[in-house]
Amino acid sequence: MRLRALLDTDALGLRLLGGEDELDRTVRGVMTTDLRDPSRYLSGGELVLTGLAWRRDAADSEPFVRLLAQAGVAALAAGEAELGDIPDDLVVACARHRLPLFAVHESVAFATITEHVVRQVSGERAGDLAAVVDRHRRMMTSGPAGGGPDVVLDLLGSDLDLRAWVLSPTGRLIAGSKASGPALPAEACAQLAAEHLAATRTGRRGPHRVLLGGTTFSLFPIRSWGHRPAVAGGGRSPQGARDVRETVLSDWLLAVEADAGDWQDERLDLLQGVTQLIAVERDRRDAARTVRRRLAQEVLELVQTGAAPAEIAARLRVAAPVLLPGLGAAPHWQVVVARVEWDGGEVEGGPVAQSLLEEILVDPLATGPEPSDRIAVAHTGDEAIALVPLPAVATEHDGSESGIHADALLKSVADPLSAGLDDDGRVTLGVSAAVHSAEGLRGALEEARHARRVAAARPGRVCAAGHQELASHVLLLPFVPDDVRRAFTARLLDPLRDYDRRHRAELIPTLEAFLDCDGSWTRCATRLHLHVNTLRYRVGRIEQLTGRDLSRLEDKLDFFLALRMS
């Protein structure tokens, strides 16, 4: 806003004392101070309000005004409540430094002037930003992207003083403005993503307000239509008919450090425009995945139809430069299989799982925003299959290779995805070992599928298993029929559970600890903080109730399996 506009507002009670030729200066902010030297807190363009408490005698005016002028302030407004008329020495000093000077009537509070200036400046900034965003949108839709989401977030920071970040549904940091300062901690990103997914599943309209660590965030959905899965028949359902479960696990979000509940409609509309602009960039990135998807689909079809290894190897040589440009040798590969299942079966799981894998496997070894997109994901039925290239690995199947590990993958996505799945969805993931040839790719696919079935046998909304677990007893558990599992566990554990309910004897926890300590009386008693005689009494009660002998390996193994299946 211009200084001239302040004089045109009667409610502000301002009277011009000098600087009539400078009234076209732009006011970018407002500051109230009575410090003798406030320059360290000034950035230029401010209207400075002062009650003159800093002035002890006439000699103080010159250095005070000189500091303001050097800081580039727009004007000085002095209150008449303290001294009555504004001192002549202040008027002379402002004239010498060409600094406009206003007198503020004693009936007008500085807060009134501050509120007016802030409201006017914010409105003008929003208008300027809207014009810039609109120009940027036209540029992006008609040609190459103009710097991606970071450019838009920088505009929010510089023009509206808003700290903002773009996050994936799993909490991966995609972009952040320079004004946002240090990147959000990973835990905060994951929690914001979880809150957003939970709110989305309730059907509430954004923005969603979240209090995190004493700071309020407003979460805006970034709804990108270009990447959304097609409905049956190859078309796209209208917006009103779209099931939120088709995209809730893949849509990005804009997290703004502010309470949008206090905003006017104009600012809310502006932020909605920002999300649409970021969505354009999202669609552009998704379009770049088309080639990788096609490569993955071709390799998958060759593997599943039993094609010759030489034919698969030739296709992999085509894929390697696309996924790892500049890599001289053919990479090693891992396979990740995912399945998304919703109660009722109305939503096709394959496309959802494909979009989800593309989000969570965006270079899982990289950290920070904008990691490279080097994965290829295909889907068949309700299952999505990812080919992940690895530049180098150690020996195969020895547990030492680099690459994706199921436990780390699960830890990074479990909490946010669980919120998005609510109580009617489930995600299961299986990870293969790394292979270095076409001959090994079919085995890696089967290995990943077996691992996913192991994960599916576990409780929880989000489960994952890796190839290391396929060498243990847990490989067998998913293939045991449910009725057999229930009968087996009931026969061994129900007598103990009933006894615990009646007597609070804690026989089940004692059994778990005893097996975990490999039958060591001393170590188990120490862990449970019991006397060894008390432990022997409990174990004897377990044996009496079940008719088993915990000194025998066979009975120990039966109890161990029953506990794992329960």
Side-chain angles (χ1 to χ4, degrees):
M1 66 177 299
R2 306 287 183 179
L3 286 175
R4 192 180 306 279
L6 295 174
L7 287 174
D8 296 336
T9 306
D10 295 336
L12 300 183
L14 296 179
R15 181 164 50 90
L16 183 64
L17 299 182
E20 184 174 354
D21 295 338
E22 305 292 334
L23 291 180
D24 286 328
R25 290 187 181 186
T26 299
V27 179
R28 296 187 177 87
V30 62
M31 176 187 179
T32 300
T33 185
D34 276 311
L35 294 174
R36 295 173 65 84
D37 180 6
S39 58
R40 73 184 69 178
Y41 304 109
L42 297 169
S43 57
E46 295 92 349
L47 171 65
V48 174
L49 306 175
T50 180
L52 300 176
W54 50 267
R55 183 184 179 278
R56 298 169 185 165
D57 54 46
D60 291 336
S61 293
E62 168 63 25
F64 179 80
V65 173
R66 183 176 66 252
L67 291 171
L68 296 186
Q70 290 173 348
V73 303
L76 174 66
E80 296 178 326
E82 184 71 20
L83 302 177
D85 291 337
I86 304 303
D88 291 338
D89 49 89
L90 182 59
V91 177
V92 171
C94 287
R96 182 180 298 116
H97 292 281
R98 301 181 61 84
L99 182 66
L101 175 64
F102 297 95
V104 182
H105 194 272
E106 62 181 3
S107 64
V108 178
F110 282 175
T112 301
I113 299 174
T114 299
E115 181 181 354
H116 176 82
V117 172
V118 169
R119 185 168 59 249
Q120 294 299 315
V121 170
S122 297
E124 290 177 2
R125 284 182 176 176
D128 292 342
L129 179 59
V132 174
V133 168
D134 183 65
R135 183 168 63 254
H136 197 70
R137 179 187 294 113
R138 291 197 301 271
M139 179 177 65
M140 291 183 68
T141 54
S142 62
D150 299 276
V151 173
V152 184
L153 299 186
D154 285 340
L155 289 173
L156 287 178
S158 62
D159 285 36
L160 290 185
D161 298 324
L162 290 176
R163 288 158 46 88
W165 301 264
V166 177
L167 305 177
S168 79
T170 61
R172 177 175 65 88
L173 180 61
I174 295 169
S177 67
K178 298 182 181 67
S180 299
L184 282 176
E187 297 80 5
C189 291
Q191 189 169 346
L192 289 174
E195 295 283 354
H196 174 74
L197 291 176
T200 301
R201 287 307 311 276
T202 64
R204 290 191 287 116
R205 296 186 60 185
H208 311 300
R209 287 179 288 169
V210 175
L211 184 64
L212 184 62
T215 302
T216 300
F217 292 86
S218 296
L219 309 179
F220 293 80
I222 299 174
R223 295 196 167 94
S224 178
W225 292 98
H227 76 283
R228 298 197 166 195
V231 296
R236 293 189 181 276
S237 60
Q239 182 173 354
R242 185 170 296 279
D243 192 319
V244 68
R245 294 176 296 179
E246 293 182 18
T247 56
V248 67
L249 302 183
S250 57
D251 277 346
W252 290 356
L253 67 134
L254 176 66
V256 181
E257 190 180 294
D259 187 348
D262 299 331
W263 290 358
Q264 297 179 349
D265 291 342
E266 291 81 2
R267 178 169 285 206
L268 285 172
D269 290 342
L270 174 60
L271 265 292
Q272 296 295 347
V274 168
T275 64
Q276 294 171 11
L277 184 55
I278 296 173
V280 171
E281 178 66 14
R282 171 68 189 275
D283 286 341
R284 194 182 301 277
R285 295 187 186 189
D286 288 335
R289 288 176 172 167
T290 303
V291 174
R292 290 190 289 272
R293 285 182 173 183
R294 185 168 63 248
L295 288 172
Q297 197 71 44
E298 291 174 356
V299 172
L300 176 62
E301 290 174 359
L302 290 174
V303 171
Q304 294 189 126
T305 56
E311 188 177 357
I312 299 174
R315 181 56 57 189
L316 288 177
R317 283 194 295 272
V318 173
V322 176
L323 299 177
L324 285 179
L327 187 68
H332 299 83
W333 301 89
Q334 269 185 291
V335 176
V336 180
V337 173
R339 191 179 184 94
V340 177
E341 298 171 291
W342 302 101
D343 293 349
E346 299 94 348
V347 178
E348 186 180 355
V352 178
Q354 182 181 43
S355 296
L356 175 60
L357 272 187
E358 288 176 337
E359 277 300 326
I360 67 178
L361 294 179
V362 174
D363 196 358
L365 304 180
T367 57
E370 299 296 348
S372 300
D373 193 351
R374 291 175 172 174
I375 45 96
V377 185
H379 76 83
T380 173
D382 287 334
E383 182 181 69
I385 301 164
L387 296 177
V388 183
L390 303 174
V393 296
T395 57
E396 188 179 345
H397 289 277
D398 66 353
S400 64
E401 73 268 12
S402 60
I404 300 171
H405 295 272
D407 52 352
L409 187 63
L410 179 64
K411 182 179 180 180
S412 67
V413 303
D415 290 343
L417 290 185
S418 295
L421 293 164
D422 198 16
D423 60 354
D424 63 344
R426 195 157 191 255
V427 171
T428 50
L429 302 158
V431 181
S432 79
V435 296
H436 56 79
S437 68
E439 289 84 353
L441 199 56
R442 183 167 187 173
L445 175 58
E446 291 305 313
E447 192 171 58
R449 282 174 165 164
H450 281 308
R452 193 208 63 78
R453 285 193 284 270
V454 169
R458 296 171 176 168
R461 289 289 168 191
V462 185
C463 299
H467 64 93
Q468 300 92 340
E469 300 178 63
L470 302 186
S472 72
H473 63 279
V474 296
L475 175 60
L476 303 175
L477 299 185
F479 306 103
V480 177
D482 288 344
D483 56 342
V484 176
R485 291 157 64 98
R486 285 192 294 269
F488 180 73
T489 57
R491 185 167 61 251
L492 281 176
L493 301 183
D494 279 1
L496 306 182
R497 293 188 179 117
D498 292 341
Y499 191 87
D500 281 347
R501 277 194 295 270
R502 293 196 306 269
H503 303 283
R504 298 182 180 179
E506 297 188 348
L507 295 185
I508 292 289
T510 301
L511 176 61
E512 291 174 333
F514 186 72
L515 295 175
D516 195 42
C517 293
D518 299 322
S520 170
W521 298 98
T522 303
R523 284 195 291 126
C524 184
T526 301
R527 174 181 294 191
L528 296 176
H529 306 290
L530 298 175
H531 192 278
V532 173
N533 290 341
T534 304
L535 176 60
R536 291 186 183 277
Y537 171 80
R538 289 188 181 179
V539 170
R541 179 63 66 184
I542 291 171
E543 294 175 332
Q544 179 186 4
L545 291 170
T546 61
R548 299 299 186 105
D549 183 354
L550 278 168
S551 66
R552 298 178 66 246
L553 176 61
E554 294 86 347
D555 288 340
K556 285 181 182 178
L557 180 59
D558 282 348
F559 277 122
F560 179 77
L561 292 174
L563 289 169
R564 290 302 298 265
M565 288 191 293
S566 65

